[in-house]
Amino acid sequence: GDYLNTVYLAFRGQNTTSRPSASKADPVSCRLWSEPQMPGLYKKGDFVIGGIFAIHYYMRSEQNTYTRQPPQPQCSGRSLRFARAMEFTIQEINNRTDLLPGITLGYQIHDSCAAVPMAIKVALLLANGMEPFFSDTESCSKSAAAAVPAVVGDSPSTPSISIARMLGLFGIPQVSYYSTCACLSDKRQYPAFLRTVPSDHHQAAALAKMVKHFGWTWIGAVRSDSDYGNNGMASFLKAAQEEGICVEYSESYYRTEPRSKLERVANVIRRSTARVIVAFLHSGDMKFLLEELERQPPPPLQWIGSETWIIDPEFLRFNMCAGAIGFGVPRSVIPGLREFLLDLSPAQALKSPLLTEFWESSFSCSLKGSSEGARECDGSEDIRALQNPYTDTSQLRVTNLVYKATYAIAHAIHGVICNDTQCDKSAKFTPWQILDQAKKVNFTTKNGFWVTFDSNGDPVAVYELINWQIKKDGSIDFITVGHYDSSKPRDLHLTFVFQVPRSVCSESCPPGTRKAVQKGKPVCCYDCIPCAEGEISNKTDSCLPKPVEFLSWDDTLSIILTVFSITGAFTAVCVAAVFYKHRTSPIVRANNSELSFLLLFSLTLCFLCSLTFIGQPSEWSCMLRHTVFGITFVLCISCVLGKTMVVLMAFRATLPGSNAMKWFGPPQQRLSVLAFTLIQVLICVLWLTISPPFPFKNLKHYKEKIILECELGSAIGFWAVLGYIGFLALLCFILAFLARKLPDNFNEAKFITFSMLIFCAVWLTFIPAYVSSPGKFTVAVEIFAILASSFGLIICIFVPKCFIIIFRPEQNTKKHLMSKVPSKAL
């Protein structure tokens, strides 16, 4: 209601009701009822660009009676540098020959006071012009051309939203330099709005990622109760929830609200258990909040700030914010700007009420009596000696956004009125043409910054991560500790360029060592000592037991070997069943059935004894695995040796006068098998008595794990067992080799020869493999040797006989077995 009272048009005819015939001849007049708001800074030109800046912070409101014309709004507070930056940019553009050559740009800069009523008032002035009268012979409608082709501004989001709704109706492009509300990206509501500052959508996501990076999962939140604060905080809270961050409270405040509201928000912060607080606040709201907190300081807090206050030097005086961190627009250098700002004399200041106010307040004097009660300025004032935000060009951040926004409009005008050779001063165009061209601009400013807009009118989001750090002299300064760039791949949007300061009593212990607290000192102070035997440290500060490795039952290799072991035992049982069923057949009787059944029994034990090598070694399993293996294999080889000797004796018995079988009949065969086996039993008993095998943790072979294995105890005992088996196998091989060429199909010596050849080859290969295999593979090699040699015996000795019994029964006759012609059945 306030601003509608200040800017409306009244239509006044020339007594049209009494003289209807004259109404067509007399022009209709449009008159501004209120006095136009004069621009704070003005310059004529071929084309005049509008500027709306929050030069003053606050607008003093007065109660309207609606019975008289309201007075001009009055503002207080001051920030002049941004407006003068637009002046400087237009001056720089006018001096260029490659941009708008032959064209002089002017400007009309107004003060919005960061308030919606004033912002709408000056927006209407820029759209309609400031002429008090306008006449038209037909109607009160104005032409399509606006008073200005484009507008730079405003800074706060809420006034910019109001301006954008107004200017968007006429298609007048508005390029804001600091309105960050994500809502302004909606082109359906704000079709003519563009900006050179990133949307808060990116800032909110970046803040959430940063909070997550530092491990702050319990935070508080406070915001301005405005479009900027509410939309920005909503975006942040959504991103924070996705990152798994919990929010203890979320409070809002606006500087025009009662002081009781401010005190309540401050008390919530003081009582909070969250030590990290995210503040999405306007500079003015943040200033009031910090001043209130200073009255009764809360416990130390880690402040996380939005871009409006985190880069504002005015806040560096609040020591409670030391260590604050947040994202700000990148720092820049604008050549020539400082000289332009300082090139201000009293005579120039008198040309503008804004500059006059600035001069008088800066030097506390009056220019030609313009301020009552103040001393008159005598010319000794030195603007270069001033230390205030106007003269401080060390942090040109927002100023550079003004610089880019002004250049964007200049490039848009150039694209409309200029061709390759010249520009047309008298060109007529509509604001929509400038808007369309502004959306397409793509250039780099003189100070090296890229300017372009996406489909939403937003620039590429680029931020610096700013940290408030205390310097050696005790003052606080802005330090860049990271960057955010939305044009990079998603996982590289946020990067850090700092190291967290270290303050430790003792450095972390390296891998392989652990902490040992120093006696009489705090727990932060410790020594690093090596991990104990059987422990390992692949991280810092502590030792953990090394993983233990052995051939366990659930190991894939164990499962495979178990399957082969059971398969071999089952095969031996099946062969025994076949032999038993055909025990009266010539081939079974001719091959000494008693020794054959004993051999099949020992082979079954050989296959099954390999299972004792699988599983976690224990005292009993270590003693059992080697002794059972040694005894069963000797029993097996003894049977084979007995069968070989039977073959030799049988053929010697056929010689005239020989009584060989008398000395090696069945009783002697049983006795020889028993004797050979008892020798191995004796060796095993001595081994187990003197130095038996035992479970052992091998810590030397691998540094990162423990090998749990069976230590031999006595190496002599182990090699004596293997040696005795080897001796019997070699003896058997020699005897079978000698008997291989004896006549008749009755002769099985050649099969025994081949089986012993395989047996010896397997165990000769086993020795180097056993010695060189690491860890559980040592056991696997031994199991493989047992299974391979057992399969060799059963295949070579029994498979040919089973083949004849099952598939060649016609050859299972005494006549065929006694034949002198070797059989070719196989």
Side-chain angles (χ1 to χ4, degrees), residues 629-630 633-634 637 680 720-730 759:
F629 152 70
F633 257 79
V634 165
I637 300 300
Q680 183 73 305
V721 169
L722 283 185
Y724 183 62
I725 296 173
F727 167 74
L728 293 179
L730 182 61
F759 187 91

Side-chain angles (χ1 to χ4, degrees), residues 417-650:
I417 69 170
C418 300
N419 54 32
D420 294 337
T421 58
Q422 61 182 1
C423 299
D424 184 3
K425 286 186 179 181
S426 60
K428 300 294 183 183
F429 53 81
T430 63
W432 286 107
Q433 292 176 272
I434 302 296
L435 176 60
D436 290 339
Q437 199 65 36
K439 294 176 180 178
K440 302 173 185 176
V441 297
N442 191 336
F443 64 93
T444 302
T445 60
K446 288 180 67 176
N447 61 343
F449 284 84
W450 180 38
V451 180
T452 188
F453 303 106
D454 63 15
S455 58
N456 295 323
D458 295 331
V460 173
V462 178
Y463 296 105
E464 289 180 350
L465 183 58
I466 308 300
N467 183 218
W468 291 16
Q469 296 185 9
I470 300 176
K471 298 192 295 184
K472 291 182 179 180
D473 61 2
S475 62
I476 301 175
D477 196 11
F478 299 135
I479 303 297
T480 300
V481 295
H483 298 279
Y484 181 91
D485 189 342
S486 65
S487 65
K488 293 183 178 180
R490 188 174 184 84
D491 57 339
L492 298 177
H493 279 183
L494 180 59
T495 56
F496 296 91
V497 294
F498 70 95
Q499 290 184 343
V500 177
R502 295 185 60 79
S503 178
V504 296
C505 177
S506 300
E507 293 291 338
S508 295
C509 292
T513 62
R514 66 173 179 84
K515 290 180 179 179
V517 178
Q518 297 174 357
K519 188 176 181 180
K521 291 189 177 181
V523 292
C524 298
C525 302
Y526 48 82
D527 296 319
C528 295
I529 61 175
C531 292
E533 284 289 329
E535 293 184 334
I536 188 173
S537 170
N538 57 3
K539 296 183 179 179
T540 57
D541 298 338
S542 62
C543 296
L544 301 173
K546 289 182 180 180
V548 178
E549 181 184 274
F550 56 89
L551 192 62
S552 61
W553 286 103
D554 57 355
D555 194 290
T556 303
L557 183 58
S558 299
I559 295 172
I560 294 172
L561 293 173
T562 300
V563 170
F564 276 101
S565 175
I566 295 174
T567 302
F570 179 74
T571 303
V573 172
C574 290
V575 171
V578 171
F579 267 49
Y580 182 77
K581 183 178 180 180
H582 299 86
R583 61 187 179 279
T584 58
S585 64
I587 198 168
V588 176
R589 294 182 64 189
N591 283 281
N592 196 324
S593 59
E594 186 175 334
L595 283 180
S596 294
F597 283 116
L598 187 58
L599 176 57
L600 287 169
F601 172 71
S602 63
L603 280 173
T604 303
L605 295 179
C606 286
F607 281 116
L608 294 178
C609 81
S610 63
L611 299 178
T612 62
F613 288 81
I614 302 175
Q616 183 173 345
S618 63
E619 289 186 10
W620 282 104
S621 67
C622 286
M623 290 190 291
L624 188 65
R625 63 174 58 171
H626 289 103
T627 53
V628 170
F629 152 70
I631 293 170
T632 54
F633 257 79
V634 165
L635 177 60
C636 178
I637 300 300
S638 299
C639 294
V640 177
L641 183 59
K643 291 174 70 69
T644 306
M645 293 178 68
V646 167
V647 173
L648 284 172
M649 295 300 175

Side-chain angles (χ1 to χ4, degrees), residues 535-536 545-548 699 701-706:
E535 293 184 334
I536 188 173
K546 289 182 180 180
V548 178
L699 306 174
H701 203 287
Y702 292 105
K703 291 183 177 180
E704 70 277 8
K705 59 185 175 182
I706 298 173

Side-chain angles (χ1 to χ4, degrees), residues 280-329:
F280 229 105
L281 292 159
H282 286 292
S283 296
D285 301 334
M286 186 66 180
K287 176 175 174 288
F288 285 143
L289 177 61
L290 292 178
E291 287 174 348
E292 174 61 30
L293 288 173
E294 275 192 329
R295 297 174 57 194
Q296 186 181 341
L301 295 172
Q302 172 62 56
W303 289 90
I304 298 174
S306 58
E307 87 293 340
T308 53
W309 67 269
I310 200 69
I311 57 173
D312 191 340
E314 293 278 324
F315 288 88
L316 293 178
R317 63 186 177 89
F318 294 101
N319 290 329
M320 73 168 66
C321 291
I325 193 168
F327 290 95
V329 293

